């Protein structure tokens, strides 16, 4: 630009010559030039006071250029810029020829602040200018755009860059520095920038993408790792395209760098976990399968090959079909599947499936429904395992149990028959030995004979007891023991049983007492013979195991619809670890062989079984050396047979409400 030769460039002539060429331009020429140029020209003196302002200022600031002349620049600019502007002008004014480049905010007539970039030069020594000549341009729009871009970069975690052809490195925006945790000046500017910035495994990929962009003129994208300020790496997505000039020449590569680290990490984590589950699924011995809502197999794990000898491919896209599932099991399997798909129930079912060899394999499938976002069945997930071994065991167990039950039934039948057959001759033995013992038809002669007759009679009685017990136990086990419940007077029952054992107890030097807490009219519906057997078995045990001076008591009480019969003694007691065994047939406590020999181990077993037949139970409490307490709890009315009382008997206080009206 030409330099005005006058301080106020008015008065110069710019007259064209006759030949059309221009003579040396005059002041008018320069004035016209300045007044029509777009830029704003300002001359300020050494104190920072405006001495000249070109007319362009009017357009830029919406005011009058004269209004600014004579005012101090520092007074016009934004308050935050004042100190800096004054200092810069002062510095520039000190050194002839010094230059300044500053962006300052100046007020527009409409009240807004304009960003103005000003280039100033100290021409104070130049007599024509005699001031600092400033050329300013309004960069408000560019500043706003850059500010917006910076904000967008910050918000969206991206930065931009521009790599001009021939330059060693791209020019990076602050956004790039920010996502890498660097200061703007820390970004490399040399030709080896990518060695500093890009992970060595990703460099080839990034550079080849750039080459592609150059060669194909197509935009490219790639995700590579960039080194951050703390020497870690972040995943950055690069978008790049080649920028062509007006002549179609590629002048630069421009692009965006977007921080996608979190997304990539999350994606990698999902992939890793997917891979882990896939591996688990594929390696699992159970078969994992996905079915669609129409029961078509979408995926089936390779374990199917081991179980059915069929490859997974054979199943893909196929329905779980009738041709493979055993016809007897198919309806059940289909029902379970439908139940799972429609009702969302988790189902488990077993079925037989055809192996490639032609034999059936027992499988067990557990199926669960997965819903899509609309709440519809998306797929069914099934886990299937080979349960052939378990089924074989179950079969074996079932057979063994059936065999054992059959053997038991045979045994019980045999014992019942045998006991019955033995009882007849035994009754004869007992009866006739009794006649002999009592010498009913005359003296036996020798006293040994009556002693033997006595022994025969006692042994016969013992044997009969044993046979009766065996017979009862066998009947119970064979389910043939029939109860004949009737209403019994508890007190009378206890008294009759006590009467039977009192002699033996006293013989042993033990006292026997009884009490009925539930009252004299306490009744129970039970089988009389069974109840007597219960009490006698308990009493004879108490008598047997209670030493001289001991005490035996029988109590009856009523609680919660049950009658509690308790026989307690102050005898030797039972070790705690043995109690649980008692009540099973032939179980005895083995500490005293002599006493054990006197019994069979059937007494308590019968008590327990008879109580249970009535819907009751037996409980043993004992302390070695202190005594034993056996309680039998029986429902007042046995569960096995609830007598159907006539309606009138239920209504004790009168007819049913409403019955009177009828
Ligand atoms: P047994 O015919 O042998 O008496 P039981 O079934 O009646 O068979 O009793 C099993 C065992 O329980 C007895 O051998 C004895 O050791 C123990 N037992 C039962 N009642 C008593 C008791 N009142 N005091 C001590 N031990 C008892």
């Amino acid at each position: 630009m030409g330099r005005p030769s006058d301080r106020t460039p008015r008065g110069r002539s710019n007259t064209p010559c006759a030949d059309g060429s221009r003579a040396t331009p005059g002041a008018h020429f320069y004035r016209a030039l300045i007044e029509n140029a777009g830029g704003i020209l300002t001359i300020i003196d050494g104190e920072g006071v405006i001495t000249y302002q070109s007319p362009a200022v009017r357009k830029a600031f919406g005011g009058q250029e004269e209004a600014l002349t004579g005012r101090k620049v520092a007074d016009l600019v934004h308050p935050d810029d004042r100190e800096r502007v004054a200092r810069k002008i002062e510095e520039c004014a000190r050194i002839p020829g010094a230059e300044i480049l500053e962006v300052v905010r100046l007020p527009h007539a409409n009240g807004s602040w304009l960003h103005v970039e000003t280039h100033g030069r100290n021409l104070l020594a130049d007599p024509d200018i005699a001031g600092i000549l400033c050329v300013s341009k309004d960069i408000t729009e560019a500043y706003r755009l850059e500010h917006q871009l910076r904000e967008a970069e910050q918000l969206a975690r991206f930065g931009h860059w521009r790599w001009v052809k021939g330059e060693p490195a791209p020019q990076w925006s602050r956004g790039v520095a920010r996502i890498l945790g660097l200061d703007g000046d820390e970004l490399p500017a040399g030709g080896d920038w990518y060695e500093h910035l890009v992970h060595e495994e990703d460099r080839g990929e990034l550079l080849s993408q750039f080459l592609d962009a150059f060669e194909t003129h197509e935009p490219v994208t790639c995700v590579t790792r960039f080194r951050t300020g703390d020497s870690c790496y972040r995943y950055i997505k690069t978008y790049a395209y080649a920028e062509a000039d007006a002549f179609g020449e590629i002048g630069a590569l421009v692009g965006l760098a977007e921080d996608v680290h979190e997304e990539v990490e999350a994606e990698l984590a999902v992939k890793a976990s997917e891979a882990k589950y896939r591996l688990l699924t594929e390696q699992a011995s159970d078969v994992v399968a996905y079915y669609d809502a129409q029961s078509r197999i979408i995926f089936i794990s390779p374990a199917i090959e081991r179980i059915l000898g069929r490859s997974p491919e054979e199943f893909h896209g196929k329905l779980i079909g009738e041709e493979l599932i055993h016809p007897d099991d198919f309806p059940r399997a289909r029902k379970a599947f439908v139940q799972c798909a429609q009702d969302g129930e988790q189902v488990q079912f077993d079925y037989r499936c055809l192996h490639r060899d032609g034999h059936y394999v027992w499988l067990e499938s557990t199926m669960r429904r997965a819903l899509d976002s609309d709440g519809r069945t998306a797929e069914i997930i099934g886990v299937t395992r080979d349960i052939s071994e378990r089924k074989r065991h179950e079969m074996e167990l079932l057979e063994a149990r059936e065999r054992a039950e059959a053997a038991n039934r045979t045994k019980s039948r045999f014992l019942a028959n045998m006991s019955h057959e033995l009882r007849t001759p035994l009754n004869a033995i007992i009866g006739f030995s009794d006649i002999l013992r009592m010498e009913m038809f005359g003296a036996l002669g020798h006293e040994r004979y009556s002693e033997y007759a006595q022994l025969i009679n006692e042994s016969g009685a013992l044997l009969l007891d044993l046979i009766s017990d065996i017979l009862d136990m066998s009947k119970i086990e064979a389910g043939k023991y029939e109860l004949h419940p009737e209403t019994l007077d508890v007190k009378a029952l206890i008294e009759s049983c006590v009467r039977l054992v009192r002699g033996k107890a006293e013989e042993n030097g033990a006292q026997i007492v009884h009490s009925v807490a539930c009252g004299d009219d306490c009744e129970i519906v039970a089988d009389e013979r069974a109840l007597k057997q219960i009490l006698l078995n308990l009493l004879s045990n108490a008598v047997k195991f209670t030493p001289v001076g001991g005490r035996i008591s029988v109590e009856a009480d009523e609680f919660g619809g049950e009658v509690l019969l308790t026989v307690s003694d102050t005898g030797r007691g039972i070790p705690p670890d043995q109690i649980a065994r008692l009540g099973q047939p032939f179980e005895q406590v083995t500490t005293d062989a002599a006493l054990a020999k006197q019994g069979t181990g059937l007494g308590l077993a019968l008590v327990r079984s008879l109580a249970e037949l009535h819907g009751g139970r037996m409980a043993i409490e004992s302390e070695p050396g202190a005594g034993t307490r056996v309680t039998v709890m029986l429902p007042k009315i046995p569960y096995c047979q609830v007598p159907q009382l006539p309606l009138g008997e239920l209504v004790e206080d009168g007819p049913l409400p409403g019955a009177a009206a009828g």
Side-chain angles (χ1 to χ4, degrees):
M1 179 174 171
R3 215 180 62 185
S5 61
D6 198 327
R7 189 173 158 199
T8 48
R10 296 171 195 148
R12 291 267 171 146
S13 71
N14 184 25
T15 320
C17 296
D19 60 0
S21 65
R22 287 185 188 277
T24 311
H28 289 297
F29 168 72
Y30 290 113
R31 181 190 168 94
L33 207 59
I34 288 167
E35 287 181 359
N36 290 302
I40 309 161
L41 280 181
T42 312
I43 298 175
I44 52 178
D45 66 13
E47 307 302 317
V49 175
I50 299 172
T51 56
Y52 170 75
Q53 189 76 68
S54 74
V57 77
R58 205 180 311 137
K59 196 173 160 213
F61 296 94
Q64 296 294 325
E65 72 268 32
E66 288 80 10
L68 299 178
T69 311
R71 295 187 63 184
K72 253 190 150 177
V73 175
D75 294 339
L76 294 172
V77 299
H78 190 281
D80 292 351
D81 298 342
R82 261 172 216 162
E83 196 197 315
R84 178 172 50 92
V85 168
R87 187 166 28 86
K88 292 278 176 184
I89 292 174
E90 197 191 312
E91 280 169 16
C92 182
R94 247 186 274 134
I95 307 160
E99 292 189 26
I100 46 172
L101 181 66
E102 283 298 310
V103 175
V104 293
R105 280 163 289 177
L106 282 163
H108 189 274
N110 65 12
S112 65
W113 290 99
L114 299 181
H115 286 80
V116 178
E117 188 186 80
T118 301
H119 178 247
R121 188 150 190 238
N122 179 348
L123 295 175
L124 284 161
D126 185 326
D128 289 333
I129 302 291
I132 299 172
L133 177 66
C134 300
V135 181
S136 305
K137 65 175 180 230
D138 178 4
I139 57 160
T140 308
E141 188 59 16
Y143 186 85
R144 190 179 59 77
L145 287 175
E146 199 187 317
H147 183 72
Q148 275 177 356
L149 180 63
R150 217 175 293 157
E151 272 189 350
E153 282 186 344
Q154 204 160 348
L155 284 173
R157 290 184 300 140
F158 75 91
H160 66 274
W161 50 265
R162 189 159 192 275
W163 193 1
V164 177
K165 206 169 170 182
E167 293 289 321
Q171 285 168 338
W172 313 98
S173 77
R174 265 198 244 169
V176 177
R178 190 177 311 109
I179 58 180
L180 297 180
L182 296 167
D183 283 337
D185 54 7
E186 284 179 309
L187 280 163
D192 56 354
W193 63 269
Y194 57 90
E195 283 174 24
H196 292 284
L197 272 191
V198 185
H199 192 287
E200 64 173 321
E201 289 170 15
D202 300 344
R203 283 173 205 156
E205 160 76 0
L206 187 70
L207 293 179
S208 92
Q209 290 289 344
F210 283 176
L211 270 179
D212 271 5
F214 262 123
E215 281 165 12
T216 62
H217 299 198
E218 292 290 330
V220 291
T221 54
C222 63
V223 175
T224 50
R225 284 160 291 178
F226 274 62
R227 194 205 293 270
T228 59
D230 48 7
S231 289
C232 297
Y233 284 93
R234 287 190 81 76
Y235 286 99
I236 305 295
K237 188 168 191 177
T238 301
Y239 305 83
Y241 69 92
E243 189 185 66
D245 60 18
F247 306 104
E249 279 286 311
I250 301 297
L253 202 59
V254 289
L256 291 179
E258 186 188 359
D259 182 358
V260 290
H261 192 74
E262 271 74 33
E263 292 86 323
V264 173
E265 289 268 277
E267 213 173 288
L268 289 177
V270 169
K271 272 194 191 143
S273 108
E274 253 178 34
K276 194 166 73 189
Y277 285 117
R278 178 161 280 270
L279 192 71
L280 270 177
T281 306
E282 288 178 359
Q283 298 303 312
S285 55
D286 289 353
V287 177
V288 181
Y290 300 145
Y291 311 83
D292 65 14
Q294 285 71 45
S295 80
R296 266 190 304 266
I297 297 170
I298 307 166
F299 166 83
I300 192 157
S301 65
I304 195 70
E305 184 123 36
R306 189 179 47 73
I307 294 177
L308 290 183
R310 299 171 187 275
S311 72
E313 290 70 37
E314 277 183 60
F315 293 90
H316 289 161
K318 303 251 176 71
L319 297 167
I320 7 174
E322 253 166 313
E323 69 277 11
L324 288 187
I325 297 180
H326 192 287
D328 292 351
D329 304 336
F330 184 71
R332 196 174 65 246
R334 191 175 48 191
K335 191 171 159 216
F337 191 90
V338 170
Q339 207 176 338
C340 177
Q342 285 177 0
D343 308 339
E345 280 177 40
Q346 173 164 321
V347 290
Q348 191 172 61
F349 53 97
D350 51 22
Y351 56 99
R352 282 155 290 178
C353 213
L354 197 60
H355 191 279
R356 179 177 292 287
D357 295 350
H359 71 278
Y360 278 100
V361 180
W362 269 107
L363 301 179
E364 180 188 77
S365 287
T366 307
M367 294 192 173
R368 202 168 52 75
R369 180 173 73 159
L371 298 179
D372 63 13
S373 51
D374 299 329
R376 286 188 304 245
T377 300
E379 55 188 27
I380 310 286
I381 301 157
V383 176
T384 301
R385 61 177 48 175
D386 180 353
I387 55 162
S388 312
E389 194 64 9
R390 195 175 87 197
K391 279 282 173 190
R392 199 172 54 75
H393 268 297
E394 278 174 14
M395 291 296 186
E396 280 173 9
L397 273 178
L398 204 69
E399 282 168 18
R401 204 172 74 196
E402 270 168 13
R403 275 200 305 273
E405 278 174 3
N408 203 30
R409 277 195 298 275
T410 313
K411 177 204 81 183
S412 298
R413 231 182 6 257
F414 166 75
L415 285 175
N417 289 341
M418 192 193 70
S419 309
H420 186 72
E421 294 305 317
L422 282 176
R423 266 212 294 203
T424 320
L426 207 50
N427 279 329
I429 292 170
I430 292 167
F432 291 127
S433 61
D434 209 24
I435 291 171
L436 289 176
R437 184 174 60 92
M438 290 192 295
E439 299 180 340
M440 208 178 272
F441 302 111
L444 288 173
H446 201 289
E447 67 177 43
R448 280 276 177 93
Y449 287 136
S450 47
E451 193 190 322
Y452 292 160
Q454 172 77 21
L455 278 172
I456 292 168
N457 187 266
E458 280 174 10
S459 306
L462 263 177
L463 201 55
L464 187 63
D465 278 352
L466 170 64
I467 287 168
S468 301
D469 281 356
I470 292 176
L471 185 63
D472 287 343
M473 203 66 232
S474 308
K475 276 187 182 169
I476 292 172
E477 284 188 343
K480 294 276 164 55
Y481 194 105
E482 273 183 33
L483 292 182
H484 300 285
E486 54 187 308
T487 305
L488 303 171
D489 177 344
V490 174
K491 189 175 178 214
L493 195 86
I494 290 176
E495 277 172 353
S496 76
C497 292
V498 168
R499 239 190 331 269
L500 284 173
V501 294
R502 190 182 293 282
K504 182 75 179 157
E506 283 168 0
E507 209 177 284
N508 286 1
Q511 192 200 359
I512 186 160
V513 292
H514 59 87
S515 67
V516 181
C518 50
D520 285 351
D521 55 354
C522 180
E523 287 184 342
I524 185 168
V525 178
D527 182 294
E528 186 179 9
R529 188 176 156 262
L531 214 56
K532 275 190 175 167
Q533 197 169 0
I534 287 175
L535 276 171
L536 283 173
N537 283 7
L538 295 180
L539 277 167
S540 58
N541 274 350
V543 169
K544 192 159 58 173
F545 297 106
T546 305
V548 182
R551 183 187 153 91
I552 297 159
S553 64
V554 187
E555 292 156 37
D557 203 352
E558 201 184 316
F559 184 75
E562 285 185 325
V563 172
L564 278 61
L565 300 171
T566 308
V567 176
S568 41
D569 61 58
T570 57
R572 55 194 294 148
I574 306 165
D577 57 327
Q578 308 271 5
I579 291 177
R581 284 196 300 119
L582 299 177
Q584 300 301 320
F586 308 110
E587 286 291 353
Q588 288 183 305
V589 179
T590 50
T591 46
D592 189 330
L595 278 174
K597 265 186 201 162
Q598 289 178 23
T600 54
L602 279 172
L604 288 177
L606 275 170
V607 172
R608 184 181 62 82
S609 303
L610 291 171
E612 285 172 3
L613 272 184
H614 281 83
R617 61 204 185 281
M618 175 187 83
I620 304 172
E621 298 160 83
S622 186
E623 197 182 322
T628 304
R629 180 184 169 88
V630 184
T631 306
V632 172
M633 290 145 274
L634 299 170
K636 279 202 78 165
I637 299 171
Y639 303 142
C640 56
Q641 189 182 346
V642 179
Q644 295 295 306
L645 298 176
L647 197 59
E649 282 183 40
L650 285 174
V651 187
E652 287 173 6
D653 296 330
L656 279 172

